[in-house]
Amino acid sequence: MNDQAFTIDDHPVPFRRGESIMEAALLAGIYIPHLCFHPLLEPHGSCRLCTVEVNGKPLPACTTPAAAGLEVTNDTEALNQQRRTLLQLLFAEGNHCCPSCEKSGHCELQAMGYWLKMLDSPFPYLFPRRALDASHPAVLLDRDRCIFCERCVRASRELDGKEVFALAGRGLNTRLIVNSPSGRLGDSDLEASDHAARICPTGALLVRGEGFRTPIGKRPFDGKSLSETCLQRAAALLKEGKESER
Amino acid sequence: MSDRPCVATTSLAGCFGCHMSFLDIDERIVELAEAIHLDRTPLTDIKQLHHCRIGLIEGGVGSEENLQVLQEFRARCEIVVAVGACAINGGIPALRNHFELRDCLREVYLEGMGVDDPQIPDDPELPRPLPRLRPIHELVKVDYSLPGCPPPAEAIWKLLQDLLAGREPVIPSELLRYD
């Protein structure tokens, strides 16, 4: 029953018990920017891009349960400026070189930059040196592009029933590690058909041989904005999920 | 010299692709040439930089000479614009930051495939490379950035039109690209 509602930027949003602000918003066709959230996965609350103001208090929309009467503020210049800063930090912290990346046009990090109208990053670029893992015949792991959202970690555990990935270290030493005797992807039980291999929002995990199947200029974010694509995807997946729960 | 606003451009550690995109404004270059005075730029081959309204910088800073040119542009241009991926975040040339400079030089000039007469160039006229390639905002104040590899000609045209009219430049979303 959709008998309860809260508001996002003064629009009434219905919700079902147990839904997060993010889920209810996406089902209602309201976009809240996000990178670590994925409709098929348990929320992680780490990228902080989905931070909204709930009754005046900043909270991540993906981990905050919807509740009747909440007043949520989402699409304001102040919140989008904070999101832009978070994104600029992500770009400066990794090695995100769009011109040489085959994920360009498919990449949610890049599309988020377009959506937030990010022109540059004012921070010093760290140019970290991270190990590339090309040992798997079907999947490439380019840690330069990892933003530590743990989508692959969660997908492997929750959807694939494996535990191929984890994060190790802290702060600037955080890195994506692989669960195999050698620590190499080629020795893990990851398969190209796994959700984990395909759920990366950036070009950190790439299924080989598919990168240029869609030509540049015709890729999802070449024509459509991130919000449009995310809303369609989320609505489809979340509705499917709700149906199957009944 | 006329009283038209002066514009200068340079390519530091870039590929001149942004300049090529600039030339893709095609016949509008005539209109532009009537509205501005082109100072130091690869298009005129003028080497001496004078006081300018706008300086467009392509490329990051990879050598001592790049740094000197950049500082000169900052000192003499009222508005400095980082044009293209390399100026903004280092771009492709910054891929060398994954390695020590000495290892890059060794690979390219001493041990790489097909190297004949291996030696690391040390002519005093050659600019000395810096240990790490850096985006220009880490070294001078940058007033505006125009992303793209290269930025589309339309975006460069729009930026110049805005700046010359004294407006804050606004890049339409369809012209905003990082690749």
Side-chain angles (χ1 to χ4, degrees):
Chain A
M1 284 288 287
N2 270 338
D3 54 355
Q4 306 184 90
F6 63 101
T7 62
I8 299 181
D9 297 332
D10 297 328
H11 297 288
V13 178
F15 71 97
R16 289 191 176 90
R17 186 191 292 271
E19 278 176 357
S20 63
I21 291 176
M22 175 70 82
E23 288 172 312
L26 292 172
L27 283 167
I30 295 173
Y31 178 64
I32 300 176
H34 57 270
L35 283 172
C36 74
F37 172 82
H38 190 283
L40 291 176
L41 304 174
E42 286 296 316
H44 196 240
S46 62
C47 77
R48 294 333 241 198
L49 279 171
C50 74
T51 299
V52 290
E53 282 178 10
V54 182
N55 294 344
K57 186 179 176 187
L59 287 169
C62 70
T63 56
T64 306
L70 293 181
E71 289 177 12
V72 177
T73 315
N74 169 43
D75 190 12
T76 65
E77 184 43 39
L79 283 169
N80 285 334
Q81 178 56 51
Q82 283 180 31
R83 292 165 178 152
R84 207 173 293 126
T85 303
L86 286 170
L87 199 65
Q88 288 167 327
L89 285 163
L90 284 178
F91 269 86
E93 183 183 287
N95 293 305
H96 301 285
C97 186
C98 300
S100 68
C101 181
E102 66 183 68
K103 194 73 179 276
S104 190
H106 288 295
C107 173
E108 290 178 40
L109 183 71
Q110 181 193 57
M112 185 63 76
Y114 297 160
W115 197 85
L116 289 169
K117 297 188 172 41
M118 185 192 92
L119 300 178
D120 55 18
S121 175
F123 302 104
Y125 280 75
L126 299 183
F127 299 112
R129 291 178 182 173
R130 300 180 185 160
L132 179 83
D133 187 337
S135 61
H136 195 289
V139 183
L140 179 76
L141 170 56
D142 186 340
R143 292 186 174 89
D144 279 347
R145 303 164 183 162
C146 181
I147 56 168
F148 314 116
C149 66
E150 293 203 31
R151 274 205 207 171
C152 60
V153 177
R154 285 173 285 155
S156 185
R157 189 173 56 222
E158 296 168 22
L159 304 176
D160 301 329
K162 306 176 182 180
E163 289 199 316
V164 174
F165 298 105
L167 288 189
R170 287 183 177 276
L172 285 179
N173 295 319
T174 307
R175 62 204 181 276
L176 187 66
I177 55 168
V178 174
N179 180 11
S180 73
S182 63
R184 283 154 42 106
L185 201 57
D187 297 326
S188 74
D189 48 5
L190 181 79
E191 289 166 78
S193 56
D194 288 353
H195 283 92
R198 297 173 178 273
I199 209 160
C200 180
T202 76
L205 277 164
L206 292 169
V207 176
R208 293 176 190 254
E210 295 184 2
F212 293 97
R213 198 165 279 173
T214 312
I216 286 166
K218 296 192 170 165
R219 297 182 170 190
F221 304 124
D222 286 330
K224 280 189 207 164
S225 77
L226 180 63
S227 52
E228 206 179 329
T229 310
C230 282
L231 281 173
Q232 282 169 359
R233 177 183 68 191
L237 291 175
L238 287 171
K239 274 177 191 148
E240 201 177 292
K242 303 289 169 207
E243 298 301 325
S244 65
E245 276 169 22
R246 279 188 199 156
Chain B
M1 197 174 323
S2 68
D3 53 2
R4 290 175 291 185
C6 239
V7 176
T9 78
T10 189
S11 181
L12 307 176
C15 70
F16 283 89
C18 297
H19 277 80
M20 296 304 289
S21 187
F22 176 35
L23 291 179
D24 281 339
I25 63 173
D26 297 332
E27 71 275 12
R28 284 172 291 183
I29 194 122
V30 178
E31 192 185 322
L32 187 66
E34 285 166 0
I36 64 167
H37 173 81
L38 270 177
D39 195 73
R40 176 186 166 147
T41 155
L43 309 179
T44 58
D45 214 23
I46 295 171
K47 308 290 188 211
Q48 177 65 39
L49 179 67
H50 302 92
H51 180 88
C52 285
R53 172 86 66 83
I54 301 166
L56 304 180
I57 316 276
E58 168 190 337
V61 177
S63 70
E64 288 175 356
E65 190 214 13
N66 289 160
L67 180 58
Q68 189 193 333
V69 173
L70 177 65
Q71 286 170 336
E72 208 176 314
F73 266 70
R74 181 65 276 182
R76 304 213 174 137
C77 299
E78 293 166 30
I79 299 170
V80 167
V81 187
V83 178
C86 302
I88 292 171
N89 60 36
I92 301 288
L95 295 176
R96 81 158 159 96
N97 291 348
H98 283 57
F99 310 96
E100 293 299 319
L101 177 60
R102 77 171 72 84
D103 294 333
C104 291
L105 292 171
R106 188 182 299 134
E107 176 68 20
V108 173
Y109 293 107
L110 299 181
E111 294 166 4
M113 240 193 302
V115 172
D116 192 31
D117 185 17
Q119 53 178 312
I120 292 178
D122 61 353
D123 190 293
E125 291 219 352
L126 290 172
R128 283 168 61 88
L130 296 171
R132 224 175 64 137
L133 191 130
R134 300 174 75 184
I136 68 170
H137 76 275
E138 295 184 14
L139 298 155
V140 299
K141 176 176 180 288
V142 173
D143 298 294
Y144 299 104
S145 298
L146 181 62
C149 184
E154 290 303 324
I156 300 175
W157 175 251
K158 174 76 165 56
L159 174 100
L160 282 172
Q161 295 297 303
D162 285 348
L163 289 178
L164 290 170
R167 294 187 296 260
E168 282 290 302
V170 177
I171 306 307
S173 50
E174 68 272 17
L175 296 179
L176 175 60
R177 299 197 61 94
Y178 302 157
D179 63 356

